[in-house]
Amino acid sequence: MTLQIADKVFHSRLLTGTGKFSSAEIMAKTIKASGSELVTVALKRTDLQQKNDNILSHLKPLGVQLLPNTSGARTAKEAIFAAQLGREALGTQWVKLEIHPDPKYLMPDPIETLLAAEQLCALGFVVLPYCSADPVLCKRLEQVGCAAVMPLGAAIGSNQGLTTRSMLEIIIEQAMVPVIVDAGIGAPSHATLAMEMGADAVLVNTALAVSPNPISMGKAFKQAVEAGFTAYQAGLGAKSIHSQASSPLTGFLSGVST
Amino acid sequence: MTLQIADKVFHSRLLTGTGKFSSAEIMAKTIKASGSELVTVALKRTDLQQKNDNILSHLKPLGVQLLPNTSGARTAKEAIFAAQLGREALGTQWVKLEIHPDPKYLMPDPIETLLAAEQLCALGFVVLPYCSADPVLCKRLEQVGCAAVMPLGAAIGSNQGLTTRSMLEIIIEQAMVPVIVDAGIGAPSHATLAMEMGADAVLVNTALAVSPNPISMGKAFKQAVEAGFTAYQAGLGAKSIHSQASSPLTGFLSGVST
Amino acid sequence: MTLQIADKVFHSRLLTGTGKFSSAEIMAKTIKASGSELVTVALKRTDLQQKNDNILSHLKPLGVQLLPNTSGARTAKEAIFAAQLGREALGTQWVKLEIHPDPKYLMPDPIETLLAAEQLCALGFVVLPYCSADPVLCKRLEQVGCAAVMPLGAAIGSNQGLTTRSMLEIIIEQAMVPVIVDAGIGAPSHATLAMEMGADAVLVNTALAVSPNPISMGKAFKQAVEAGFTAYQAGLGAKSIHSQASSPLTGFLSGVST
Amino acid sequence: MTLQIADKVFHSRLLTGTGKFSSAEIMAKTIKASGSELVTVALKRTDLQQKNDNILSHLKPLGVQLLPNTSGARTAKEAIFAAQLGREALGTQWVKLEIHPDPKYLMPDPIETLLAAEQLCALGFVVLPYCSADPVLCKRLEQVGCAAVMPLGAAIGSNQGLTTRSMLEIIIEQAMVPVIVDAGIGAPSHATLAMEMGADAVLVNTALAVSPNPISMGKAFKQAVEAGFTAYQAGLGAKSIHSQASSPLTGFLSGVST
């Protein structure tokens, strides 16, 4: 059940975000219920001058690995600068690389992302890039030293699920680093499906934060991820077009007089 | 979390079947791991002359509610006769009504099923009919006194998932008795989805029995059902086409000098 | 390309309805553009006292086969009575049998539909029943003498397409009479898909009537149905998971000096 | 109905390929039946020394615009070299840019493709790049001067249809140059759907070439593309969950004595 990324081992395969929650307290309780051990934080959201800000002070007792993200960056240069600020502010080499020039759908830029990834890896960062579900791009991100790849299932915050499924399947088949499905996962069934397909982990934020009951939803996602991973390991049956009877079909009356 | 059918209360929302397992021992361990408390048994599979047959003797220690099914029946008359045999043999009024004249896809017969359901209810049975995902038929089965309805997600044993989703949604919306999605559920994600949609329970057999690791798969389905039910109760967010940023998007560098 | 239903031969595999159009003139022009030769008419919509009403007077010059429907009937008895009125008023034995007790989703009632179908066939009607996508029900409707079966793709007027696809495939495989996919077809691509799957025809109404340009849409559906039928007859290739290069892949530079 | 790419106007919105056909004669007849006016040719397949080779000699009488492709290129450098050979051999500035380092799924390389596109545009080529369904990449390809973008629907030759639909919708919404859906289109219904979504054109090869009746299939795709484009222009109705009756529902017997 453990997941290794770079040199760290996690017991949970559910990554969470910290945005959109109604309060930092709810956020922390939700993350705790979810079992998540790797939590992404927007740099803007943390007070870079003062480490004891609201979000961080609520996250600290959970003992999770912080994963500062570069959300808001539109170029490699901006992202690298943001990553360096995050390293200084949060004391971690880990960074979730996000570069999205388009404010409407927040689609990641493949060119700038690869450029920034290469430079950040060279600078000693542990880089987890958010990227489009592009099999060749994922291979290239891996080749420049990324610790994992984070292809999107659908637009961020859209809750649409694994709309890029056919590409995710190829990415998973070919990857030599962990594949973490990010964005679009709006329901536990999406998370279960991703894990059944062989994804190494999923990241969920909006679906938790906007639920009327985030803490319960955190628990649901924890179970969903575990269910999917267990099923993947146990081995799923093939789909068939014809029926295969689970109960004996013919002659149930044979042997008894009618 | 409890599910009430007729006058019984269950703590699990996962029904299981007993067919296709490699051994009765594996079957029993799988059912135990799944947490299932309501277990369907084909009449042919149990020895009607002698209650201590292999399947039953393995099920007994689990303390589950047995649900004899009429699999193999092609007409209402055959099904009623089978149900009566089952009642006598297994000492329970509960029956899963299955009538499928077609040996290839095992599709249930709506006419004979309604006819048999009406008569079995009149005879005092607790009737859970397997049926097509037909909203009007489900209402009619409810009206003649069925304790639940069991519409199919796909052909039995096909592992195709909720191919009838659009009809299941209408059935769930309109039902006054528990809706148990039966047939076609081939992966935990299917079960999670059914529960998220508001189904009261799901029945799984083939996906457990044919897994290389049935016991692990039993555990996976247990978690999957709980995840989906928890999410349904907590309330899922709406899907949207546009992105909704979970992290702040613009000006992440504002407030710091670049 | 011709389609035979009962003893009539049609050159079009597109059935149309007459409801919801902004005017009878637009309706007639749309039907003409669609090439449809079999047109369903609600009994209420035609003036039963006076044959030259607005709809009928616009349809007459088109030379189409009228197909009165029993829409609004909630029971077999009501439907049979309506069919008899239709026969008298429109001078045709053909009837589209529709029985839907539920006003919200207009789902057909399998029990009453089969009952009415049997009686109407016995009375000499040419019966085309609208029904749920239930393979056993379709077989039974065929066995009592229906000239075709009209399983639904989705709820009437929902434009959702072939949501019942997995069941339609079984119905098409097993049917000995024409299968006409009715309800839910909201775009030409749905019609093309139905025909590619081997359906004999489709019925479209809402998608035409509510389009800003019904006449163009009529033409689009005509082409879509023909495209799907032609493809079905020509034979479609299988889907595959792996790529199969359409252009030569390796060594495009071989033979030339680089 | 006309489609403009760069300075050329086409009367067909169906692009075709020339690979995999059983003979050049069948290929030419299929393309003619399809109405396609823009036809892609692999450089390897044409004899670069001698223009009157088999494929070209069959294409010439059709009067189509040739679109040499760089299939087989694994880097920008190889693709540029191939494009230059193609220009010389076929006497056209037009090029379909394809760079796919992975021989199994033939997924295009976003980095090398953008690099090559930029240089080819600077060299005066009319560049139509095959690319992943990545909205930001498509914008960037447009910005470096590509005459169109050709995002994939699924892996080449897989016949899986528009598996990347959610991304294609964003690409179509944002593009200022024609969007031609390429790869994966395995049935006319896929082509119709792409056009209904607002794609400007589609490219089809495998589905034509491997059909038992390529010429009929060519005709089917011609109709399918026209149907989808006509429907897009006419305006499709929205999908709804509830039914909307096309025939009057209640009281069909009102006004007549029963």
Side-chain angles (χ1 to χ4, degrees), chain B residues 60-79:
Chain B
K60 196 165 287 180
L62 300 179
V64 297
Q65 167 73 43
L66 294 182
L67 181 63
N69 68 56
T70 64
S71 183
R74 285 158 302 180
T75 62
K77 193 180 165 194
E78 285 184 5

Side-chain angles (χ1 to χ4, degrees), chain C:
Chain C
M1 188 71 195
T2 58
L3 165 70
Q4 181 165 356
I5 303 175
D7 61 347
K8 295 230 164 145
V9 173
F10 301 93
H11 298 86
S12 161
R13 289 173 178 271
L14 175 58
L15 283 70
T16 50
T18 51
K20 294 187 186 176
F21 284 91
S22 56
S23 75
E25 197 181 347
I26 294 291
M27 176 208 74
K29 287 184 176 170
T30 300
I31 290 172
K32 191 174 181 190
S34 78
S36 177
E37 298 170 344
L38 186 48
V39 179
T40 187
V41 181
L43 293 173
K44 180 89 177 303
R45 203 174 282 128
T46 64
D47 184 349
L48 296 172
Q49 314 308 314
Q50 167 187 357
K51 289 192 184 176
N52 292 323
D53 89 321
N54 201 24
I55 295 241
L56 293 184
S57 67
H58 277 85
L59 288 176
K60 195 163 289 179
L62 299 178
V64 298
Q65 167 74 43
L66 294 183
L67 182 62
N69 69 56
T70 65
S71 182
R74 285 159 301 181
T75 62
K77 193 181 165 194
E78 285 184 4
I80 292 165
F81 182 70
Q84 288 167 324
L85 287 179
R87 173 160 64 177
E88 205 173 313
L90 301 181
T92 176
Q93 307 267 43
W94 289 50
V95 64
K96 182 183 171 201
L97 177 60
E98 295 188 43
I99 304 178
H100 24 60
D102 158 32
K104 184 167 180 189
Y105 295 106
L106 306 180
M107 288 293 148
D109 183 322
I111 312 300
E112 297 290 318
T113 299
L114 180 61
L115 192 63
E118 188 161 16
Q119 296 187 31
L120 287 170
C121 289
L123 291 167
F125 282 88
V126 175
V127 182
L128 293 80
Y130 170 60
C131 59
S132 48
D134 179 319
V136 177
L137 178 63
C138 284
K139 272 324 253 185
R140 282 178 163 270
L141 288 165
E142 175 185 317
Q143 284 157 2
V144 300
C146 289
V149 289
M150 304 185 72
L152 58 83
I156 290 179
S158 71
N159 287 340
Q160 291 184 337
L162 306 188
T163 67
T164 60
R165 179 174 178 168
S166 66
M167 296 297 127
L168 293 173
E169 288 171 341
I170 298 173
I171 291 167
I172 289 168
E173 179 188 322
Q174 298 182 335
M176 308 290 281
V177 292
V179 176
I180 303 165
V181 179
D182 189 7
I185 294 185
S189 58
H190 304 155
T192 308
L193 176 58
M195 300 306 294
E196 287 168 359
M197 287 162 51
D200 295 278
V202 298
L203 188 149
V204 180
N205 185 347
T206 300
L208 297 173
V210 306
S211 169
N213 293 287
I215 301 169
S216 292
M217 196 57 88
K219 191 186 157 204
F221 270 98
K222 174 184 164 65
Q223 290 180 303
V225 168
E226 290 177 9
F229 183 68
T230 301
Y232 174 70
Q233 290 199 304
L236 286 162
K239 292 187 186 186
S240 68
I241 295 175
H242 292 197
S243 262
Q244 298 177 313
S246 20
S247 296
L249 276 185
T250 52
F252 75 96
L253 298 175
S254 62
V256 294
S257 57
T258 50

Side-chain angles (χ1 to χ4, degrees), chain A residues 64-201:
Chain A
V64 298
Q65 167 73 42
L66 293 183
L67 181 62
N69 69 55
T70 64
S71 181
R74 285 158 303 181
T75 63
K77 193 179 163 194
E78 285 185 4
I80 292 166
F81 182 71
Q84 287 168 325
L85 287 180
R87 173 159 64 177
E88 205 174 313
L90 300 182
T92 175
Q93 307 267 43
W94 289 50
V95 64
K96 181 183 173 203
L97 177 60
E98 295 188 43
I99 305 178
H100 25 59
D102 158 33
K104 184 166 179 189
Y105 294 106
L106 307 181
M107 288 292 146
D109 184 323
I111 312 297
E112 298 290 318
T113 300
L114 180 60
L115 191 64
E118 187 161 15
Q119 295 187 31
L120 287 169
C121 289
L123 291 168
F125 283 89
V126 175
V127 183
L128 293 81
Y130 169 60
C131 58
S132 49
D134 179 319
V136 177
L137 178 64
C138 284
K139 270 325 250 188
R140 281 179 163 270
L141 288 165
E142 175 185 318
Q143 284 157 1
V144 300
C146 290
V149 288
M150 304 186 71
L152 58 83
I156 291 179
S158 70
N159 288 341
Q160 291 183 336
L162 306 188
T163 66
T164 60
R165 178 173 180 170
S166 66
M167 297 296 128
L168 293 173
E169 287 171 341
I170 297 174
I171 292 168
I172 289 167
E173 179 187 323
Q174 299 183 333
M176 308 289 281
V177 294
V179 176
I180 303 165
V181 179
D182 188 7
I185 294 183
S189 58
H190 303 156
T192 308
L193 175 59
M195 300 306 294
E196 287 169 358
M197 286 162 50
D200 295 278

